[in-house]
Amino acid sequence: MTTPILAASRRTRRTPFSPRVEAHGVKGYTVYNHMLLATVFNTVEEDYRHLKSRVQVWDVGCERQVEVSGPDAARLIQLMTPRNMDRVVIGQCAYAPLVDETGAMINDPVVLKLAEDRFWISIADSDVVLWAKGLAYGMGLSVEIFEPAVWPLAIQGPLADDLTARVFGEEVRAIRFFRFAELEFHGHSFVVARSGWSKQGGFEVYVDDAEIGLALYDALFAGGEDLDVRPGCPNLIERIEGGLFSYGNDMTIENNPFECGLDKFCNLDAGIEFIGREALQQLQAQGGAQRVIRGVTFEGDNCPACVEAWPVTSGGQHAGHLTSAAHSPDFGTNIGFAMIERFAWEPGTEVTVETPL
Ligand code: THG
């Protein structure tokens, strides 16, 4: 069976780095926030080995920012998430589930507090800008909401600190996890955060100038030759090993944050006002989640791509569905995430995964 190609067009928006990514020989793309996102450069397994031992530069321009600024910006941000944003300071990144009035997951972004009245919602794959604009219009809030010309560039891997320090200076080493600093490159100030969608450590540079951004991209490759820097992208195997969930795959608008294991980002007792508060309180009163995302291992030397949910059973009973899967060379088994019903969610429970073929 052949794999159909993904046809690009204006709708599958490019990033300033797309020409570089293609010159590097990108082998696969997906679409994320209506934008191209690389999925593989060599093989997913070679990319994984390299990510876990060296350093990679990722074009994650598809991690779109929804900028919310103005007098009611902080109020709207708090209305959109059950996480208590009171304690988030300027220079901090906060992983914050967004829910609707029924408590359903809208997105699971990282929110950057740029100023008391200015935020970037760094979104996963759903149209948060429309939800935010609808809320602001309907509630008559005094805010500006738009998708700015910002394209994150991630530097990930055990050698990420060394590479980033060569380009931005030694100050990068002092940036704490999920904090950002504004650092200069070629006379331009960039937001540089210690974050990124891998567990190998590293930074994300929020590139807001395409031309200087390209110079930055080239400087990272020129400055990192002896570190074996390579182009990369979020890696399916590494992110499942690391427990990073993907909105649209492992959780959707059919789920609430409790089912996604995001309880610690739902501060229902903090006295904050957010949309969906009553719904989440009611869910909690009814005993919380009835199913939850779990890591699952299952036998196999290789693993088909999980392009639709695979049934999971336990003791012959329907126990949920598997949402992401890969073969992990380091774990020596197939691994995946599954939404698992309460009766089977105890760690150690034996389940059966119905893979295709
Ligand atoms: N970086 C940026 N924007 C993003 C992502 C990113 N937007 C989309 C998507 N990724 C959002 N989802 C996540 C999920 C998990 C994490 C980051 C973004 C993450 N979590 C930390 C962890 O699991 O170690 C914990 C976060 C915390 O405790 O606050 O890194 O990657 N810019």
Side-chain angles (χ1 to χ4, degrees):
M1 213 168 69
T2 60
T3 307
I5 62 151
L6 174 73
S9 73
R10 256 173 63 79
R11 281 187 302 99
T12 56
R13 300 178 293 177
R14 295 167 68 78
T15 86
F17 310 112
S18 297
R20 296 289 196 279
V21 165
E22 286 162 12
H24 279 303
V26 65
K27 290 214 181 89
Y29 273 132
T30 186
V31 175
Y32 193 93
N33 284 323
H34 316 282
M35 206 153 189
L36 294 175
L37 170 63
T39 56
V40 59
F41 281 87
N42 290 312
T43 65
V44 174
E45 194 168 317
E46 283 177 73
D47 291 356
Y48 154 89
R49 284 263 169 257
H50 180 264
L51 170 63
K52 290 179 80 169
S53 58
R54 303 283 197 277
V55 56
Q56 297 182 347
V57 175
W58 298 0
D59 172 8
V60 280
C62 65
E63 288 169 358
R64 296 276 76 197
Q65 309 309 300
V66 175
E67 177 159 337
V68 180
S69 54
D72 290 330
R75 168 136 192 263
L76 177 56
I77 292 287
Q78 185 61 82
L79 281 169
M80 292 173 74
T81 179
R83 176 162 177 173
N84 183 0
M85 299 299 287
D86 278 355
R87 272 176 267 145
V88 177
V89 298
I90 295 168
Q92 189 176 346
C93 313
Y95 185 42
L98 306 186
V99 302
D100 72 8
E101 75 285 359
T102 70
M105 289 290 295
I106 292 269
N107 200 287
D108 72 325
V110 176
V111 177
L112 283 76
K113 184 167 180 174
L114 300 163
E116 290 301 336
D117 61 354
R118 184 166 173 247
F119 299 81
W120 279 343
I121 311 176
S122 187
I123 60 172
D125 188 16
S126 76
D127 297 317
V128 171
V129 69
L130 304 179
W131 168 241
K133 283 169 70 78
L135 290 176
Y137 179 68
M139 299 179 76
L141 300 178
S142 178
V143 285
E144 268 197 80
I145 299 169
F146 60 100
E147 188 186 286
V150 172
W151 304 271
L153 192 62
I155 304 151
Q156 300 286 297
L159 305 180
D161 278 52
D162 294 333
L163 178 58
T164 312
R166 288 181 190 182
V167 172
F168 281 106
E170 292 298 313
E171 306 99 282
V172 300
R173 297 186 194 275
I175 301 173
R176 287 186 286 149
F177 184 64
F178 265 50
R179 297 289 172 133
F180 64 82
E182 300 198 27
L183 300 178
E184 281 214 0
F185 174 79
H186 283 198
H188 184 85
S189 178
F190 288 97
V191 169
V192 181
R194 190 182 287 279
S195 57
W197 215 57
S198 86
K199 287 288 187 176
Q200 306 311 310
F203 299 92
E204 291 180 299
V205 183
Y206 289 75
V207 173
D208 60 353
D209 183 304
E211 201 174 305
I212 305 176
L214 278 175
L216 169 68
Y217 186 98
D218 293 338
L220 287 165
F221 280 89
E225 231 169 290
D226 60 312
L227 302 178
D228 190 22
V229 60
R230 289 186 203 170
C233 50
N235 183 277
L236 179 68
I237 311 170
E238 194 274 344
R239 73 106 178 157
I240 299 177
E241 284 184 358
L244 290 169
F245 303 152
S246 165
Y247 186 82
N249 287 318
D250 308 309
M251 55 181 134
T252 70
I253 200 159
E254 299 295 315
N255 301 117
N256 63 56
F258 306 135
E259 293 172 337
C260 306
L262 298 175
D263 312 54
K264 72 169 169 171
F265 301 113
C266 297
N267 306 126
L268 298 182
D269 304 323
I272 50 170
E273 189 198 345
F274 64 90
I275 294 158
R277 185 189 175 88
E278 289 74 22
L280 291 186
Q281 272 171 332
Q282 201 175 342
L283 277 168
Q284 215 174 37
Q286 290 163 353
Q290 299 304 312
R291 52 185 185 169
V292 81
I293 305 175
R294 286 282 186 243
V296 171
T297 64
F298 55 106
E299 281 168 39
D301 296 331
N302 53 47
C303 188
C306 185
V307 296
E308 52 194 354
W310 299 343
V312 175
T313 57
S314 185
Q317 300 282 313
H318 165 80
H321 57 275
L322 199 107
T323 54
S324 292
H327 179 74
S328 162
D330 284 351
F331 293 4
T333 183
N334 287 338
I335 58 176
F337 296 131
M339 188 62 76
I340 297 286
E341 300 296 329
R342 179 184 278 266
F343 82 91
W345 76 18
E346 209 52 47
T349 305
E350 194 156 319
V351 296
T352 301
V353 178
E354 278 180 44
T355 62
L357 301 178

